[in-house]
């Protein structure tokens, strides 16, 4: 079997199909495989359901939602599944949150095999933009951080739920919600999600903390832990990436919390005391950025609340995390780009550092692609759920804002809904499935997986400028 050198440099065996795939193709393919296995599991495994089993389409929808840590549901997780069924959902959430490639990397390490350059590339794809860090070391820390933080979160939730639910009754909800919160999945074993905890600030604070830590990214956690281990006099400065993530996360959480509290003060928060109103406002701001837990009924919220939720959902979490969205760093770079242009500067600088032009271009590209995908999905949902239903003479329950809310929630892997998910048509459900998958793996990674290898005969045409403004 001969060897072939392609345009990108790597040497691969002719006919070795798996070796010819790029990191992006294997990354996307691994999630496709996991979704397929998860779907078959819902149909083949016994003892998962309290009543009738899921149809194939609903099994695919639920598996995609769990693996892509979204949280949109077509059935009530609390009543439709047995304890084993809920455990299966939680397993898919955990696998999806960490990424199947992370587990593959650990398995290779456990077998004593040294990682190849290609496998190191895959490890970086699963764990995030870990430039300058050993991929195997980072992957071990990913799993260590995850299990450790989830254990602490489960213990804190258990302590608060045990007096009400009993010593044994509180264990499973505590474990389930801790994993679901850290993975930013939004699945709940309660039919009303966390609406019942609206007046319990302790529960909401723990869930918010888990969501925030899971959403800032493993790269940030690694850097912060490294600083804590060093002597204070030898600690290096925080990277621009980490500082952008922390600053943007704090700004969005606090700013959104203030606005949510003001919007819902006399509506869904009307029966709460002032402190609980403030905590719930902050909770709405944190969970809107890909977590998916709800402490209010969004169908009864103010239109301004729902639109602000759409905006926060679009930003999402941070790179290398379990969260979706265009990411905090992308949003921050777009704002910095606009500010630089307004000041007449041709480069973006922050905290005494210039951001590479290639990074700025990727941020702009990601925003354009994400905007285009969500806009196209809203058009499809508008037709499938409104125009088609009206043409058939059916009663239409959904409104345009609810469908825009649904599309943004699916693509940014949030899981919040204004109550239209169970009523989606077949076309609507397939649209949501596609949005959840592309949103989880990332639109740029998905596009890269579909693209062909670079043509060695490619050339560049002569330049000609175009007017703007």
């Amino acid at each position: 079997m001969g060897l072939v050198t392609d345009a990108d440099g790597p040497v691969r065996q002719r006919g070795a199909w798996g070796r010819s795939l790029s990191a992006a193709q294997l990354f996307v393919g691994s999630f496709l495989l996991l979704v397929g296995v998860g779907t078959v599991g819902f149909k083949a495994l016994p003892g998962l359901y309290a009543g009738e089993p899921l149809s194939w389409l609903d099994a695919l929808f639920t598996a995609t939602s769990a693996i892509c840590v979204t949280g949109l549901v077509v059935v009530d997780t609390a009543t439709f599944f047995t304890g084993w069924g809920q455990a299966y959902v939680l397993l898919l959430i955990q696998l999806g949150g960490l990424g199947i490639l992370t587990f593959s990397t650990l398995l290779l390490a456990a077998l004593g095999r040294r990682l190849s350059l290609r496998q190191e590339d895959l490890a970086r794809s699963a764990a995030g933009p870990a430039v300058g860090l050993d991929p195997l070391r980072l992957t071990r820390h990913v799993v260590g951080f995850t299990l450790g933080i989830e254990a602490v979160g489960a213990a804190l939730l258990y302590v608060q739920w045990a007096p009400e639910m009993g010593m044994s009754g509180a264990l499973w909800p505590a474990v389930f919600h801790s994993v679901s919160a850290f993975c930013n999945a939004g699945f709940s074993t309660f039919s009303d999600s966390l609406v019942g905890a609206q007046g319990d600030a302790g529960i909401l604070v723990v869930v918010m903390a888990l969501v925030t830590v899971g959403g800032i990214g493993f790269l940030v956690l690694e850097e912060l832990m490294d600083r804590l281990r060093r002597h204070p006099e030898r600690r290096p400065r925080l990277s621009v990436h980490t500082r952008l993530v922390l600053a943007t996360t704090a700004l969005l959480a606090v700013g959104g919390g203030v606005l949510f509290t003001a919007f819902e003060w006399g509506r869904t928060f009307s029966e709460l005391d002032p402190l609980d109103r403030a905590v719930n406002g902050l909770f709405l701001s944190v969970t809107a950025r890909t977590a998916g837990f709800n402490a209010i009924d969004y169908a009864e919220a103010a239109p301004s609340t729902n639109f602000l939720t759409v905006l926060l959902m679009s930003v999402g979490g941070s790179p290398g995390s379990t969260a979706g969205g265009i990411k905090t760093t992308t949003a921050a770079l777009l704002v910095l780009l606009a500010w630089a242009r307004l000041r007449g500067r041709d480069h973006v600088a922050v905290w005494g550092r210039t951001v590479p032009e290639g990074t700025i271009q990727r941020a702009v590209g990601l925003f354009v692609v994400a905007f285009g995908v969500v806009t196209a999905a809203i058009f499809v949902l508008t037709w499938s759920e409104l125009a088609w239903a009206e043409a058939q003479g059916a009663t239409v329950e959904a409104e345009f804002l609810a469908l825009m809310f649904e599309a943004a929630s699916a693509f940014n892997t949030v899981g919040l809904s204004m109550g239209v998910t169970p009523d989606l048509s077949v076309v609507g459900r397939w649209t949501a499935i596609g949005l959840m998958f592309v949103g989880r793996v990332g639109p740029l990674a998905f596009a890269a997986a579909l693209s062909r290898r670079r043509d060695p005969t490619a050339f560049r045409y002569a330049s000609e400028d175009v007017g703007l403004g």
Side-chain angles (χ1 to χ4, degrees):
M1 188 175 292
L3 297 177
V4 177
T5 303
D6 62 25
D8 294 332
V11 177
R12 68 183 191 276
Q13 290 182 318
R14 180 184 289 115
W17 177 78
R19 294 179 181 273
S20 67
L21 296 178
S22 66
Q25 289 171 332
L26 285 177
F27 180 64
V28 173
S30 67
F31 272 94
L32 272 176
L33 177 61
L34 191 54
V35 168
V37 172
T39 302
V40 173
F42 274 123
K43 296 296 294 183
L45 295 176
L48 300 183
Y49 308 105
E52 292 294 320
L54 291 170
S55 65
W56 276 105
L57 179 57
D58 287 348
L60 175 62
F61 189 102
T62 305
T64 305
S65 183
I67 292 163
C68 297
V69 291
T70 304
L72 288 176
V73 292
V74 291
V75 296
D76 183 5
T77 307
T79 59
F80 195 87
F81 296 104
T82 63
W84 287 111
Q86 293 175 5
Y88 183 66
V89 171
L90 192 65
L91 174 63
L92 296 181
I93 291 172
Q94 188 75 90
L95 291 175
L98 287 173
I100 190 172
L101 298 177
T102 304
F103 285 99
S104 299
T105 303
L106 285 178
L107 180 60
L108 290 172
L111 294 175
R113 295 175 57 184
R114 183 181 181 275
L115 294 180
S116 65
L117 293 177
R118 187 161 170 271
Q119 290 162 347
E120 289 184 358
D121 190 18
L122 293 178
R124 289 189 177 95
S125 297
V131 180
L133 294 177
D134 175 53
L136 183 56
R137 175 172 172 263
L138 178 66
T139 303
R140 287 171 175 167
H141 287 189
V142 164
V143 177
F145 283 146
T146 299
L147 299 181
I149 293 171
E150 287 173 351
V152 172
L156 293 175
L157 291 175
Y158 177 79
V159 169
Q160 298 184 74
W161 273 329
E164 176 186 353
M165 302 180 182
M167 300 293 287
S168 60
L171 182 59
W172 177 241
V175 172
F176 190 99
H177 285 85
S178 180
V179 174
S180 183
F182 181 77
C183 291
N184 283 210
F187 280 85
S188 175
T189 57
F190 305 132
S191 297
D192 61 354
S193 190
L194 294 178
V195 174
Q198 192 180 56
D200 194 335
I203 297 294
L204 298 183
V205 168
V206 172
V207 172
M208 279 192 290
L210 288 168
V211 169
T212 301
V213 174
I216 63 175
F218 295 119
L219 180 60
V220 175
L221 291 175
E222 174 76 9
E223 185 172 348
L224 293 177
M225 290 298 295
D226 183 63
R227 281 178 58 84
L228 290 176
R229 287 191 293 263
R230 292 174 180 263
H231 190 276
E233 297 180 355
R234 297 181 179 179
R235 290 175 182 171
R237 64 186 294 275
L238 285 175
S239 65
V240 172
H241 171 86
T242 296
R243 295 169 75 177
L244 269 182
V245 166
L246 296 178
T248 307
T249 299
L251 179 62
L252 291 175
V254 175
V258 171
L259 292 176
F260 278 129
T261 302
F263 294 158
E264 296 300 316
W265 187 272
R267 294 176 66 94
T268 57
F269 294 171
S270 59
E271 297 182 1
L272 301 174
D273 59 50
L275 177 60
D276 284 335
R277 294 185 191 189
V279 171
N280 276 266
L282 184 61
F283 181 83
L284 292 184
S285 181
V286 170
T287 194
R289 293 181 35 252
T290 83
F293 293 104
N294 61 291
I296 65 169
D297 183 354
Y298 282 89
E300 298 179 359
S304 54
T305 294
N306 289 327
F307 187 67
L308 177 59
T309 302
V310 171
L311 296 179
L312 291 176
M313 287 193 296
S314 300
V315 175
S318 301
S321 72
T322 55
I326 64 171
K327 303 298 188 293
T328 53
T329 50
T330 302
L333 289 179
L334 292 176
V335 172
L336 291 171
L337 174 63
W339 179 243
R341 294 296 184 262
L342 289 174
R343 300 174 67 187
R345 298 183 176 180
D346 58 2
H347 63 274
V348 175
V350 58
W351 290 307
R353 294 290 188 273
T354 298
V355 181
E357 184 62 27
T359 301
I360 299 298
Q361 292 179 0
R362 285 195 298 273
V364 174
L366 177 59
F367 173 78
V368 172
V369 171
F371 180 82
V373 170
V374 174
T375 300
I378 293 174
F379 271 112
V380 173
L381 290 177
T382 302
W383 169 78
S384 67
E385 309 308 309
L386 297 180
W388 184 86
E390 291 178 353
Q392 299 298 314
T395 301
V396 179
E397 299 292 340
E399 298 178 351
F400 177 77
L401 178 59
L403 295 176
M404 181 173 68
F405 193 101
E406 195 81 5
S409 179
F411 179 77
N412 298 297
T413 68
V414 180
L416 295 175
S417 176
M418 294 178 64
V420 304
T421 309
D423 300 322
L424 289 176
S425 65
V426 172
V427 174
R429 295 189 185 201
W430 276 107
T431 302
I433 290 171
L435 286 171
M436 289 188 290
F437 184 82
V438 174
R440 178 63 185 95
V441 300
L444 295 186
F446 186 77
L450 296 178
S451 65
R452 302 177 65 180
R453 289 185 177 273
R454 190 170 53 195
D455 184 358
T457 63
F459 59 92
R460 179 182 299 178
Y461 290 101
S463 298
E464 183 173 345
D465 206 357
V466 176
L468 299 175

